[in-house]
Amino acid sequence: MCRFRSLLNSVLLIALIATGTLTVSAEDEALDADRVAFFESKIRPVLVRHCYSCHSADGKSVKGNLLLDSAAGIAAGGDSGPAVTAGEPEDSLLISALKHESFEMPPDRRLSDQIIADFETWIRDGAIDPRKGGRTIQRSEIDLEKGRTFWSFQPITQPSVPDVGTQWAQTEIDRFIAAGHMSAGVKPALDADADQVLRRLSIVLTGLPPSVERIFQFRAEWQADPDRAISAEADRLLASRQFGERFGRHWLDVTRFAESSGGGRSLMFPHAWRFRDYVIASFNDDKPIDQLMWEHVAGDLLPYTTARESDEQVTGSGYLVLGPTNYEQQDKELLRMDVIDEQIDSLGRTFLGLTLGCARCHDHKFDPIPMTDYYGLAGIFRSTETLTPGNVSGYVLTDLKTNADRDAFEKWSHRDSQIRQQIAEIRDRVAPNSPTLLASGELTGVVVDDRNAEYSGEWVESTSVKAYVDAGYRHNSGNAAEGGVTFRTQLAPGRYHVRFAYSASSNRSSRVPVTVSTADGEVTVVLNQQKTPAGDGVFATLGEFTFDDDAPAAVFVDAPHAGAGVVVVDAVQFLSLSDTADVSRQRKADSSEDPAAAKQTMRKLRQRLSELEEQLKQHGKQKPETPQAMSVRDLDSSADWHVHLRGSAHHLGPLTPRTALSVTMPLDADGKPIPLNINSGSGRLQLADWLTAEANPLTARVFVNRIWTAVIGEGLVRTPDNFGATGQLPTHPELLDHLAWNFIHRDQWSVKKLVRSIVVSRVFRIRSNGGAHPQDDPGNRLLTRAFRRHLDVEVLRDTMLLTSGQLDFSVQGGLTIRKLTQYDNGYDHDSLTPPVRSVYVPLLRNSILPMFDVFDMANANLVTGRRNVSTLPAQGLFLQNSSFVMAQAKLSAERLLKESTTADDRIDHLWLVTLGRLPEAEERSVVLSYVNDQPEDINRWAAVVQSVFSSLDFRYME
């Protein structure tokens, strides 16, 4: 507001002076004349010489929509905002551009410091500009009020269910569809038969064809009551583990899941599988989707009541890490902003169906998303740690609380800390010119450290002056009047050599009374703590004394009667005279008369250091595995962030508050969007709250449309990742709102309830042909028939393995990358044994399974709500020549020959397993004519199986 008023005042001043409507004094006129003269002599010539070629109305092009050939042009500014803030050169983009701090103007060289100083003076004095006329560039501005009128930003309503009065419509969903049929005067297709409906149900809900046994059972149930048969089968499949694997895979497409980084040399993600398994478990457990979204955006910040709940939430936040990243990028600020851009863009597409990344360099060209909204989100993610430092950057890993032997790990950690501490202490002791540090555990005799002494008065722990025992020492800060310190221990009766440890310094007291209580009475020794003790530099000798067991041995430091200065207490050592070797060695060390002993001590210390380092190395190999998950965490400091001029990571504009999309925000009294209320932390909690709030109309609509797409084959909005102006309009907007409203209010964000409501509808079971006229409903926008669907590659592969009997259902998650390496290039997928369901196949960005690549697997670099569908020669060639397909065909043939005795039985079984139906007469005749002369020839049966694998009926679902 301050900058705006300053700019407004300068523009008004220019206008009033130019029109003569402002009355000024003679003094003011003289001052203004001086400023105009300064502009004409110092500013205009520079603008003409260095700026007009790119920033004038007569130039070949106007860079950045900024005109500098008139006062009006400077006042209006360019794409990045006002070029000049009158009175405030430090806030003027023109100055930062002249200094080459943001833009570089002129681009060929930096102008002299004197010229830049002249511009600063000109702006500081009000930016007086006598030039009249000129034009400004008209730039489009985001109209948020108008933006709110777009259909996807309108609040979700609860529309009335149409009263269509037709027997065809059996559910509320059907009534919305039937209303469209009646309005257009078209009729829906007939119902599919039992086999088609069962195959459709099984593949849609589990990604697997129905078993032979189930086909015959369902036929009987269908014959009795089709509605009940469908409902019961839907409930059975929704309760199966395979449901989570199927719909979890859909969500993994949307969350751009992969197990390597892509970009540069693509790093493997050894822990990414936990996110995959977490997603599958979430769908199987029917976790409310708003909770899943909370965990994706802020799982590491959520409260929890159990260790498992904590682990799930932390693992869920891996969503923010799993995008494609070139961790080898050496421009770390650019890398950081590229990661943030990927997070913002993915979040927009995943949850909101919006292309937020388009607002990185300028206001969104089509949707009501200003650039400030983008950098409001960027501030949230800049306050979040995703990358870890290094020449090759890393990603955040968090230790999980479950699936680990905590006792073993804590024991290992304790021992690891002990070894490291000993190494650190010895290294300090053997380092040249370093003060001596002693560990009480390595000293002979009985040692009482300051941690175990008895204190009166205030004593402060310190490590400021090195030469101390164990972790440090204590001092009285010169507060001598407050009290003393007693070192007390029980000794075996006998005579002892007693030593007192302190760290010497010039600020210490030169006369510290230390009294030793012995069996013969008390003896007081005065220590000068300004002098370093002889020998090891830590212990000073107090003398030799006799102690008995009538009372503990005690050494009292009488601080109140010490001289001026600080009194230090560290440790007291009692050496029994019965250990003559120790006492003799210590006496010599104290008197500094045995340099040979000091050298021997250093040799022993170095030897001990070598032993400890080897111990640490071997101990590291015994570290219990600690489960970890890819995750994020809040930075210690969180803050709003700058707009980046033209999206450049190194050209910063004004700060913008952390927030979400203004077009969805509530308005204040002035009609302006109210930003997120972020008082602490990154703001991800508030962002997750906004994402899943009822007032946000996008999230639920986008999600139910994704589910509709997965179940029906096409979305009510057929651009599931784009609900903006360039996306398609919904074919049935009332039905979309009906589903979204019930999803939130009736079903509490339950995916299984949403899916069930769709599969039990009449529209789910109609045929893809027969009874409807495509010319009456081009594009099937009225849903008069089912979509003939190209099966996903996972369904094709899993069905082949199921037919051959090779599919291993025992693998239900975990790490399936058989050979972990640093990079994913050249990964050998042929080593994948046993054959697992396709959802568990390692998904590596630079080394994808060849079959996945050929048959339109989702691009893991992108949010994919609807996969590309292609029909290419390469697909037919793969089915004919792939070693995998041929191997499964031969194994299937072996199984047929082993389990069935007649050719007819083998044909029936093969058709039922792969196509979910019995063969037609012509199909049976062709196969029989091919195998009859050699009915037991495995190669002929393998060719039959491979032909079925290559057929359109196998690759498509009616």
Side-chain angles (χ1 to χ4, degrees):
M1 183 62 73
C2 178
R3 291 183 60 184
F4 173 76
R5 287 175 177 166
S6 177
L7 177 62
L8 179 62
N9 289 339
S10 67
V11 174
L12 288 174
L13 179 63
I14 293 168
L16 292 172
I17 291 175
T19 58
T21 57
L22 177 66
T23 302
V24 295
S25 65
E27 183 179 352
D28 290 336
E29 288 179 347
L31 180 59
D32 289 339
D34 290 342
R35 290 172 177 172
V36 168
F38 184 86
F39 174 84
E40 295 294 356
S41 62
K42 301 291 187 181
I43 305 304
R44 191 202 288 257
V46 176
L47 294 174
V48 172
R49 186 177 307 116
H50 297 290
C51 304
Y52 276 19
S53 60
C54 297
H55 298 286
S56 69
D58 297 329
K60 293 182 179 180
S61 63
V62 180
K63 300 290 182 65
N65 286 328
L66 173 62
L67 291 172
L68 297 177
D69 58 349
S70 68
I74 289 182
D79 289 342
S80 302
V84 167
T85 302
E88 300 177 22
E90 65 278 2
D91 289 340
S92 296
L93 292 180
L94 181 60
I95 297 300
S96 64
L98 292 175
K99 291 180 176 180
H100 285 203
E101 293 175 345
S102 54
F103 301 108
E104 297 179 353
M105 291 174 48
D108 55 340
R109 64 188 176 93
R110 184 179 184 275
L111 298 180
S112 70
D113 291 341
Q114 183 56 55
I115 290 176
I116 295 172
D118 289 341
F119 272 83
E120 289 177 329
T121 299
W122 171 62
I123 294 172
R124 189 176 297 110
D125 288 344
I128 298 299
D129 186 345
R131 295 174 298 171
K132 299 178 182 180
R135 69 182 181 91
T136 60
I137 302 293
Q138 295 298 319
R139 297 182 306 281
S140 62
E141 296 182 356
I142 298 294
D143 186 341
L144 293 178
E145 185 175 355
K146 181 179 179 181
R148 288 188 176 88
T149 65
F150 188 70
W151 77 267
S152 64
F153 297 111
Q154 290 286 301
I156 296 173
T157 61
Q158 186 180 19
S160 299
V161 179
D163 183 8
V164 292
T166 173
Q167 292 183 347
W168 180 87
Q170 295 183 320
T171 68
E172 292 181 342
I173 289 175
D174 295 329
R175 293 187 180 94
F176 284 98
I177 301 298
H181 294 167
M182 296 174 67
S183 177
V186 298
K187 292 184 178 180
L190 302 175
D191 287 354
D193 62 32
D195 289 351
Q196 289 174 323
V197 170
L198 178 61
R199 186 170 188 247
R200 194 180 295 175
L201 267 173
S202 187
I203 289 176
V204 164
L205 296 186
T206 69
L208 294 169
S211 68
V212 174
E213 296 76 16
R214 192 66 202 132
I215 291 172
F216 288 108
Q217 291 170 358
F218 187 78
R219 282 180 178 177
E221 295 167 4
W222 177 275
Q223 195 72 25
D225 187 336
D227 296 336
R228 180 175 293 180
I230 291 175
S231 295
E233 186 66 12
D235 290 339
R236 188 182 70 82
L237 296 173
L238 286 166
S240 70
R241 175 181 172 78
Q242 286 72 39
F243 171 78
E245 292 172 336
R246 177 63 167 161
F247 275 76
R249 180 61 260 179
H250 290 317
W251 191 244
L252 293 173
D253 283 3
V254 174
T255 54
R256 81 272 188 251
F257 168 79
E259 294 179 81
S260 63
S261 67
R265 290 177 292 178
S266 183
L267 298 174
M268 279 193 180
F269 291 156
H271 307 279
W273 64 268
R274 295 189 186 277
F275 182 84
R276 177 202 64 209
D277 291 359
Y278 149 86
V279 166
I280 291 171
S282 295
F283 278 87
N284 272 328
D285 295 341
D286 202 18
K287 177 181 291 183
I289 287 303
D290 59 340
Q291 174 66 22
L292 188 79
M293 293 176 180
W294 269 88
E295 292 170 4
H296 283 355
V297 175
D300 57 303
L301 302 175
L302 296 177
Y304 58 87
T305 56
T306 66
R308 181 188 174 196
E309 185 181 14
S310 170
D311 287 354
E312 284 186 12
Q313 293 170 176
V314 167
T315 303
S317 73
Y319 164 77
L320 296 174
V321 190
L322 287 167
T325 301
N326 180 9
Y327 289 95
E328 295 178 311
Q329 167 67 256
Q330 294 303 296
D331 185 337
K332 298 304 179 183
E333 183 60 24
L334 176 60
L335 172 61
R336 185 179 185 186
M337 284 310 303
D338 283 348
V339 169
I340 291 170
D341 178 69
E342 198 281 332
Q343 291 171 329
I344 294 173
D345 191 60
S346 294
L347 179 139
R349 295 175 189 269
T350 299
F351 305 117
L352 307 171
L354 294 176
T355 54
L356 300 183
C358 295
R360 179 175 183 175
C361 303
H362 47 69
D363 289 348
H364 202 292
K365 297 296 185 184
F366 305 103
D367 297 328
I369 306 170
M371 197 175 177
T372 49
D373 280 1
Y374 177 94
Y375 287 98
L377 289 167
I380 292 174
F381 292 115
R382 277 193 69 94
S383 300
T384 302
E385 184 178 11
T386 305
L387 297 166
T388 56
N391 180 49
V392 175
S393 298
Y395 47 84
V396 174
L397 289 171
T398 299
D399 290 349
L400 301 179
K401 301 178 184 299
T402 58
N403 302 318
D405 187 340
R406 286 289 155 190
D407 291 339
F409 182 75
E410 289 176 5
K411 184 182 293 185
W412 181 91
S413 297
H414 179 69
R415 179 57 183 155
D416 188 72
S417 298
Q418 285 182 326
I419 298 173
R420 291 181 184 276
Q421 182 178 354
Q422 291 178 47
I423 287 174
E425 291 172 350
I426 294 178
R427 280 178 178 167
D428 202 278
R429 291 172 65 182
V430 301
N433 302 319
S434 68
T436 304
L437 304 183
L438 300 177
S440 59
E442 295 180 4
L443 295 171
T444 56
V446 177
V447 178
V448 183
D449 189 52
D450 61 288
R451 292 172 296 182
N452 306 115
E454 302 166 8
Y455 296 88
S456 61
E458 182 179 353
W459 291 78
V460 181
E461 296 181 5
S462 179
T463 58
S464 299
V465 180
K466 286 190 176 178
Y468 49 78
V469 176
D470 287 343
Y473 58 89
R474 304 190 191 206
H475 64 80
N476 65 349
S477 299
N479 200 7
E482 291 205 13
V485 182
T486 301
F487 293 83
R488 198 186 309 273
T489 186
Q490 187 68 51
L491 298 174
R495 194 160 178 80
Y496 289 81
H497 182 73
V498 183
R499 308 168 75 223
F500 183 87
Y502 64 87
S503 62
S505 181
S506 60
N507 71 334
R508 309 298 196 229
S509 170
S510 61
R511 50 185 186 86
V512 178
V514 180
T515 300
V516 183
S517 297
T518 75
D520 302 322
E522 294 183 344
V523 178
T524 299
V525 179
V526 177
L527 297 177
N528 182 354
Q529 291 193 344
Q530 295 178 1
K531 293 185 177 181
T532 302
D536 59 16
V538 179
F539 281 97
T541 296
L542 298 180
E544 296 176 357
F545 308 98
T546 300
F547 299 94
D548 56 29
D549 55 5
D550 289 341
V555 175
F556 173 71
V557 180
D558 188 7
H561 294 92
V566 175
V567 175
V568 171
V569 295
D570 187 359
V572 174
Q573 182 184 37
F574 300 88
L575 288 166
S576 173
L577 293 185
S578 61
D579 189 347
T580 56
D582 282 343
V583 175
S584 176
R585 182 168 60 251
Q586 206 63 65
R587 285 171 176 166
K588 290 179 180 179
D590 289 348
S591 62
S592 300
E593 293 178 355
D594 191 2
K599 290 182 180 180
Q600 183 179 3
T601 299
M602 293 302 288
R603 282 196 299 268
K604 289 183 177 181
L605 285 171
R606 290 191 177 97
Q607 180 181 354
R608 178 60 176 159
L609 179 62
S610 178
E611 293 172 354
L612 287 169
E613 288 174 338
E614 179 61 25
Q615 279 186 31
L616 184 65
K617 180 179 178 181
Q618 296 303 320
H619 185 67
K621 296 178 180 179
Q622 301 169 9
K623 182 178 181 180
E625 181 180 355
T626 303
Q628 294 179 305
M630 300 174 71
S631 60
V632 294
R633 54 178 168 247
D634 270 10
L635 292 171
D636 292 337
S637 58
S638 304
D640 298 333
W641 190 242
H642 301 266
V643 169
H644 285 195
L645 305 180
R646 294 186 179 275
S648 170
H650 302 291
H651 294 163
L652 303 184
L655 279 171
T656 188
R658 283 169 286 168
T659 190
L661 300 190
S662 300
V663 72
T664 66
M665 292 296 186
L667 305 179
D668 62 16
D670 296 327
K672 295 181 179 179
I674 302 173
L676 296 180
N677 184 23
I678 302 174
N679 297 317
S680 62
S682 63
R684 285 185 290 122
L685 283 170
Q686 293 86 344
L687 178 61
D689 187 35
W690 167 80
L691 273 175
T692 56
E694 183 181 341
N696 182 347
L698 289 162
T699 307
R701 279 195 184 116
V702 169
F703 186 81
V704 299
N705 187 67
R706 294 195 186 285
I707 296 299
W708 184 274
T709 303
V711 175
I712 298 297
E714 287 284 0
L716 296 170
V717 177
R718 296 195 178 179
T719 51
D721 304 323
N722 189 353
F723 273 44
T726 58
Q728 292 192 29
L729 296 175
T731 59
H732 298 75
E734 294 84 6
L735 174 57
L736 182 62
D737 268 18
H738 170 80
L739 293 171
W741 178 275
N742 286 338
F743 183 57
I744 297 171
H745 297 282
R746 185 188 67 191
D747 299 334
Q748 304 298 305
W749 300 80
S750 164
V751 177
K752 289 189 176 182
K753 290 180 181 178
L754 174 61
V755 171
R756 191 184 190 282
S757 71
I758 300 173
V759 299
V760 301
S761 69
R762 190 71 174 269
V763 72
F764 177 77
R765 73 176 78 165
I766 56 178
R767 294 183 183 179
S768 60
N769 53 50
H773 300 285
Q775 64 271 20
D776 295 336
D777 183 16
N780 197 22
R781 295 186 64 81
L782 295 174
L783 300 178
T784 54
R785 59 193 181 276
F787 292 96
R788 190 167 188 257
R789 299 168 64 174
H790 195 297
L791 294 185
D792 294 337
V793 63
E794 297 96 328
V795 179
L796 298 178
R797 178 181 174 276
D798 290 355
T799 303
M800 290 180 188
L801 290 168
L802 192 67
T803 305
S804 67
Q806 299 300 301
L807 188 58
D808 187 351
F809 287 101
S810 68
V811 176
Q812 298 182 350
L815 179 65
T816 56
I817 300 175
R818 298 305 180 196
K819 185 178 180 181
L820 277 171
T821 55
Q822 186 174 9
Y823 304 110
D824 70 357
N825 290 309
Y827 180 79
D828 180 16
H829 285 279
D830 291 336
S831 66
L832 186 63
T833 55
V836 298
R837 283 209 70 180
S838 295
V839 71
Y840 299 118
V841 170
L843 189 58
L844 306 171
R845 285 189 165 98
N846 283 4
S847 293
I848 193 170
L849 185 74
M851 188 174 182
F852 287 179
D853 194 27
V854 172
F855 287 97
D856 303 315
M857 182 68 171
N859 184 344
N861 296 317
L862 304 172
V863 172
T864 306
R866 181 181 181 277
R867 294 185 184 180
N868 290 329
V869 176
S870 64
T871 303
L872 301 172
Q875 295 170 349
L877 292 171
F878 184 91
L879 293 170
Q880 290 298 315
N881 301 309
S882 162
S883 59
F884 169 78
V885 176
M886 289 189 288
Q888 300 315 310
K890 189 167 186 177
L891 289 167
S892 299
E894 290 177 355
R895 191 179 181 195
L896 286 173
L897 292 173
K898 182 178 179 180
E899 297 180 0
S900 302
T901 57
T902 68
D904 278 318
D905 285 346
R906 291 165 185 166
I907 295 170
D908 287 349
H909 187 81
L910 176 60
W911 254 248
L912 288 167
V913 168
T914 56
L915 306 181
R917 63 175 174 83
L918 289 170
E920 296 178 0
E922 185 177 357
E923 293 170 328
R924 184 187 301 276
S925 176
V926 169
V927 175
L928 286 175
S929 65
Y930 178 66
V931 300
N932 264 348
D933 56 339
Q934 296 182 15
E936 303 301 317
D937 183 357
I938 190 172
N939 291 322
R940 292 210 172 195
W941 282 105
V944 172
V945 175
Q946 191 170 359
S947 296
V948 173
F949 287 166
S950 302
S951 69
L952 291 179
D953 281 2
F954 180 75
R955 294 162 60 185
Y956 284 82
M957 178 175 66
E958 295 289 349

